[in-house]
Structure formats: C-alpha cells, structure tokens
Amino acid sequence: MNKRIEAALNDQIQKESSSSQYYLAMASWAETKGLNGTAKFMYTHSDEERFHMLKLIKFVNERGGVAVVPSIPEPPREYDSLERVFELLLEHEVGVSESINEVVDACLQEKDYSTHNFMQWYVSEQLEEEALGRSILDKLRLIGGDKGGLYLFDRDMEMTAAAAAKGGNADQKA
Ligand code: OFO
C-alpha cells in the first residue's frame, strides 16, 4: 500500500476511534442527567463510529498495509448544556469531514483509485451525520429552556437512536 495513503488512513482510524470515545462520554453524561433518549442516541452513535474505525482497519490490513490501533486522549466529562453537547458533536463532525476530504484528495494525488472508491462511503456518511447534527441543533434552539419541550426532545432522540440502530445494523452486514 502507498505509504502516504497508509498514513492518511491510519490518521483517519485515530479520528474515528476518538469520535467513538467522544460520543461514549456524551452518552454517559446524558445518562447521569436523566436524558435517557439522548444517552441511547449517543451510545448508538458511538457504536457506529467504532464500526467506521473497524472498517478502515480491515481495509488497510487487507490491502497490505499495517493498521495502527491508536491511543485516545480522555474526552471531556462535563458539558455545560445539552445544546452545547450537540454543538460540539457538529463541530467534531465538520472536522472529521475535512479530514476525510484530505484523504480523498491524497488518493487522487497518488492515483489510488480503489481507496478513493472505498472512501466515498465515508463522504456520504459524513453528509448524513452533519445534516442530522444540524437538524437536532435547530430543534434544541427552538425548544430553548422549555422543560416540556426538552422531555419530548429526549423521547424523540430515543426513536432516532432506534432508527439509526436499524440502519447501522444493515450497514454493518453490508
Ligand atoms: Fe465516522 O462519522 Fe462521524 O465522525
């Protein structure tokens, strides 16, 4: 495997792994605040990110490269508010999208078209994740400090998590 591409993919493995830990920390925080729907959503999201990482590890190894299992810094334990949690999630996803674009760009420069093709799955996944993050934030901003609204929001998140788990299971079998 081209060394530059191998390094870029290993860097992406690190990012997916850190996304998984980040969302796990958010899930745990939400659970301790009684936001069980949001916690479910974050636990599911954390599993999805782990799957993104595993998919990359397998790809690198199958192509003759060596995947590196990274160490991850501890994610934050405390968050100022639920809105802040989703702002951070969206900021994080925008950063991950940029890094995926850099991998895609490196593939084109190195004429590695099969990795380029493989990365297209991540490109569309990021589009979906960013769109979902934005729509959740819009809802939260609409609710403001309304407790009843927050209760309904949390219930909504449980349904979103269930739908994502179904979609995720289908993806993981693919
Ligand atoms: Fe892996 O999609 Fe988010 O980070």
Side-chain angles (χ1 to χ4, degrees):
M1 171 175 244
N2 174 303
K3 287 292 162 202
R4 180 176 170 206
I5 300 300
E6 183 184 26
L9 292 175
N10 270 316
D11 190 51
Q12 195 58 40
I13 287 169
Q14 201 275 344
K15 293 207 164 69
E16 302 293 344
S17 177
S18 100
S19 298
S20 179
Q21 289 297 92
Y22 202 11
Y23 301 143
L24 190 57
M26 288 172 173
S28 179
W29 176 86
E31 200 163 54
T32 63
K33 303 288 176 222
L35 295 161
N36 293 338
T38 305
K40 262 193 193 147
F41 172 85
M42 289 298 183
Y43 280 127
T44 306
H45 203 146
S46 170
D47 285 348
E48 280 177 21
E49 297 298 350
R50 180 175 156 76
F51 169 68
H52 298 172
M53 174 192 69
L54 288 174
K55 198 174 157 89
L56 279 160
I57 288 178
K58 287 182 182 156
F59 181 80
V60 170
N61 290 338
E62 277 163 11
R63 295 275 318 281
V66 177
V68 179
V69 176
S71 66
I72 305 296
E74 184 183 320
R77 295 179 192 188
E78 280 303 323
Y79 300 88
D80 293 343
S81 65
L82 193 55
E83 190 173 326
R84 188 64 195 137
V85 164
F86 282 96
E87 274 171 8
L88 289 169
L89 179 144
L90 183 57
E91 280 168 22
H92 187 80
E93 289 304 332
V94 169
V96 171
S97 298
E98 279 165 13
S99 121
I100 283 170
N101 288 343
E102 279 165 25
V103 179
V104 170
D105 199 39
C107 290
L108 288 176
Q109 286 175 26
E110 299 294 324
K111 298 191 173 22
D112 182 345
Y113 300 116
S114 57
T115 305
H116 181 271
N117 187 41
F118 169 78
M119 289 306 294
Q120 295 314 301
W121 183 86
Y122 287 85
V123 171
S124 31
E125 184 69 15
Q126 282 310 118
L127 274 178
E128 280 177 28
E129 288 195 356
E130 280 191 37
L132 180 63
R134 286 196 180 90
S135 78
I136 292 174
L137 252 186
D138 285 346
K139 271 190 207 162
L140 273 175
R141 286 179 179 148
L142 218 68
I143 291 166
D146 180 63
K147 289 240 162 46
L150 202 60
Y151 173 78
L152 291 176
F153 170 88
D154 193 57
R155 246 185 26 187
D156 230 44
M157 292 308 290
E158 188 155 2
M159 290 194 297
T160 309
K166 262 194 203 161
N169 288 342
D171 265 355
Q172 288 171 35
K173 276 182 206 131

